[in-house]
Amino acid sequence: MTEYVAAVQRRHNRLPSVPHDSEWPSLAIVRTEGDEAFWQPTRRHDPLTFDGLSRALEIDIPEACAAFYGRYWSASIPVIWGERPFELLQLWNDEDQNNLMHNLLGHSLEKKRVREPLTLFFALVDDARFLSIDLASGAVMLEEIDGPRPEEVAADLGALLADVTAVAAIDDPS
């Protein structure tokens, strides 16, 4: 996260920004100017847990998932891994957190329905592909919506995150 903020500051000489929406507040917002909200990742006072989702699905969810999503309020973070650009999903506010839990539950129930290994997504590659964590092995999987079976791309989330480079924007590798 620090690397991302530094990349934006180097490139644009300012904090990251998103369009300002008074109905979509976040503790990550530092200031607003006109139609822009300038933000930086902000440590949460109440770290997220996946206890409820764990109970609902009757599975153990790796601590890495809660640590990934649950330590900061932040917008998504654009990164590059090798030649692959993608966005690390983050939580902007409580409503975003509730939406994430509903989406993860729906994703998991669909995986159960089609009898595929359970995964939890954490990054968007493009409109049709995303990265997820296989809950049985901890491996990072590249998945495609309505596509073939997921492909393992990293041994675990830590290994993947250790090799990513934050960029100011996906289409701006500086």
Side-chain angles (χ1 to χ4, degrees):
M1 292 188 170
T2 302
E3 186 180 323
Y4 169 65
V5 172
V8 171
Q9 288 179 324
R10 275 191 312 275
R11 180 76 173 159
H12 303 289
N13 201 30
R14 61 169 175 75
L15 288 172
S17 68
V18 295
H20 176 61
D21 181 349
S22 61
E23 294 182 24
W24 194 244
S26 176
L27 294 175
I29 295 173
V30 174
R31 72 179 188 284
T32 59
E33 289 179 20
D35 292 341
E36 282 188 284
F38 295 91
W39 66 274
Q40 62 185 12
T42 301
R43 190 85 165 176
R44 291 177 59 143
H45 298 294
D46 59 337
L48 172 68
T49 70
F50 279 86
D51 296 344
L53 189 61
S54 250
R55 283 190 304 276
L57 296 173
E58 299 177 331
I59 57 165
D60 290 328
I61 295 177
E63 177 57 33
C65 292
F68 175 81
Y69 276 119
R71 290 193 178 143
Y72 292 89
W73 294 115
S74 176
S76 295
I77 306 291
V79 298
I80 302 243
W81 182 53
E83 297 294 318
R84 293 182 181 188
F86 56 91
E87 286 190 38
L88 297 171
L89 300 172
Q90 293 294 292
L91 297 175
W92 188 245
N93 57 29
D94 287 329
E95 188 176 342
D96 199 19
Q97 178 175 301
N98 291 337
N99 291 341
L100 172 72
M101 289 301 170
H102 286 103
N103 289 337
L104 288 174
L105 181 59
H107 173 77
S108 297
L109 293 174
E110 178 61 15
K111 288 290 203 172
K112 280 187 171 190
R113 185 187 72 75
V114 297
R115 295 191 168 106
E116 288 184 359
L118 292 182
T119 61
L120 293 182
F121 55 84
F122 67 92
L124 295 178
V125 175
D126 54 39
D127 289 341
R129 298 177 303 157
F130 57 94
L131 294 176
S132 62
I133 299 171
D134 181 305
L135 295 180
S137 69
V140 174
M141 310 301 286
L142 175 63
E143 297 193 55
E144 188 171 336
I145 297 170
D146 298 326
R149 292 189 69 73
E151 166 194 354
E152 183 175 327
V153 295
D156 57 44
L157 182 59
L160 177 106
L161 292 178
D163 288 338
V164 301
T165 301
V167 294
I170 290 295
D171 57 353
D172 179 14
S174 58

